[in-house]
Amino acid sequence: MVAALRSFLTSWTSVTPVLGVVVLALAWGRDLGPVFVAVVAIALGATVLAAVHHAEVVAHRVGEPFGSLVLAVAVTVIEVALIVTMMVSGGPEAGSLARDTVFAAVMITTNGIVGISLLAGARRYGVTLFNPEGSGAALATVATLAALSLVLPTFTSSTPGPAFSPAQLAFAAVASLALYGTFVLTQTVRHRDFFLPVAADGEVKEDDHADPPSNRAALGSLALLLVALVAVVGLAKVESPAIESGVRAAGFPQSFVGVVIALLVLLPETLAATRAARRDRMQISLNLAYGSAIASIGLTIPAIALASVWLPVQLLLGLGSTQIVLLALTVVVSVLTVVPGRATRLQGGVHLVLLAGFLVLAVNP
C-alpha cells in the first residue's frame, strides 16, 4: 500500500509540469470562460506543488548549504513570477502588491504554520520541544527583515507615499540579501546544531533523513523543475485577470490578492511543517516556518526591487498602521513562544487567533 502510494505521488509530480505546459499552450492569448479559468487555476496550484517537490529532491541531493538555496530560489521564482505578472496587468493599484504578498507570507508563516504545527505536536505529545537558540535567531532575522523592508518605508520622507527612494531601495535589497546569506550560513554550516531537533533531556539529536536520491533522479527532477517554473510563470500570467476579478467580485479589497498568492506559495511548506510536528520534530517545523518568512523577504524584496526598474507602477512597500500593530504583536508573541524552548496548545491557539485577525482585517480593513 505504501509502495503504491509512493509510486502514485512520484508519477503525479512527474506528469504535472508537462500538463501545466500543455494547459498554458491551450490558454495563452485566449479569452477564457469560467470552466477553463477553473482548469487553469487547478493546473497552476498543482504545478506549484510539483515544482516545490522537485526542488526538494534536488536540494536533498546537493546537500547543505546549497540545498536550502535551491529550494528558496525555486519558491522565490514562483512568488516573484506571480507578483510581477499581476503588477504588470493590475494598473496603479498593483503598486502595493509586493508589500501585501510579503506581509501575508510573514503572517501566514509566523502565525499560521507555527500555530498549526504547535497544535499538531502538542495534541500528540502534550508539550512540544525545540531549540530556543536557533528559533530565536531565525525569529530575530524575520523581525529585522520585516522592519527594514516593510515598516521603515512608511516613515521615510525622501519619496512621497510609503515608498523608498531608489538609493534606500537599493540599500534595503542589498541588506536583505546579506542578512539572508548570513542566516543560511549560520543554519547550515557554522551553528547547524542550533537548528536540529532536541530530545526531552535537552540533548540535540540529528534529524532522520532518507537516503539522498540518485544523480539520475536528481537530474530528472531538475529538468522537471525548470519545466514547472516556466509553466507557473505562464499560468500566473493567464490566471491573473481572473484572480483579480474574483477578488473584486467577492467584495474584497485589492490587497487580498497578495493573501491569495501567499497562501498558494506556502501550501507545501505548511503541509511539510505539520508532518514534521506530528513526528515530534517541532524544530524542523519552526525551521520551515521562519525560513520561509526569511526567504520571502530576503529574496523576494531584492528581486522585486530589481524588477521595479521596468515595472510601470511605483513600488509601495510601507505598511499601514493596522498592519504594523499586527506585525509588532506577532513579534512579541513569537518571542514569548520560542524563548522557553517548549510550547503547548495554548501558544498554538494564540498564533492562530492572530492569523485569524489578520485574515479578517485583510477582508474587511
Side-chain angles (χ1 to χ4, degrees), residues 48-254:
V48 168
L49 293 175
V52 174
H53 165 77
H54 290 297
E56 290 176 339
V57 172
V58 176
H60 193 188
R61 179 58 192 171
V62 301
E64 300 296 351
F66 303 104
S68 295
L69 292 175
V70 170
L71 184 57
V73 168
V75 173
T76 301
V77 168
I78 296 172
E79 186 173 1
V80 171
L82 292 168
I83 293 173
V84 170
T85 53
M86 291 189 179
M87 287 184 73
V88 170
S89 61
E93 294 182 353
S96 61
L97 182 59
R99 174 199 67 193
D100 298 332
T101 303
V102 172
F103 179 63
V106 172
M107 297 301 292
I108 291 169
T109 53
T110 57
N111 288 318
I113 297 180
V114 170
I116 291 172
S117 299
L118 289 174
L119 279 182
R123 182 175 181 272
R124 174 165 290 192
Y125 302 102
V127 176
T128 58
L129 303 176
F130 45 87
N131 193 326
E133 294 174 303
S135 301
L139 177 60
T141 306
V142 173
T144 302
L145 285 170
L148 182 65
S149 299
L150 301 177
V151 176
L152 288 183
T154 302
F155 302 100
T156 57
S157 57
S158 299
T159 303
F164 275 143
S165 67
Q168 292 169 339
L169 183 59
F171 167 76
V174 172
S176 297
L177 282 175
L179 194 53
Y180 175 78
T182 303
F183 174 78
V184 170
L185 182 65
T186 301
Q187 183 185 36
T188 59
V189 180
R190 295 292 185 180
H191 300 285
R192 182 171 174 268
D193 56 317
F194 288 178
F195 299 88
L196 293 176
V198 294
D201 58 2
E203 291 294 324
V204 174
K205 55 183 178 180
E206 289 284 337
D207 193 28
D208 49 344
H209 289 290
D211 294 333
S214 64
N215 288 333
R216 180 178 179 181
L219 289 174
S221 285
L222 178 60
L224 289 171
L225 172 61
L226 296 176
V227 173
L229 292 178
V230 171
V232 166
V233 173
L235 291 172
K237 175 66 176 177
V238 172
E239 190 70 9
S240 58
I243 294 176
E244 294 168 347
S245 299
V247 169
R248 286 194 297 269
F252 297 163
Q254 185 72 14

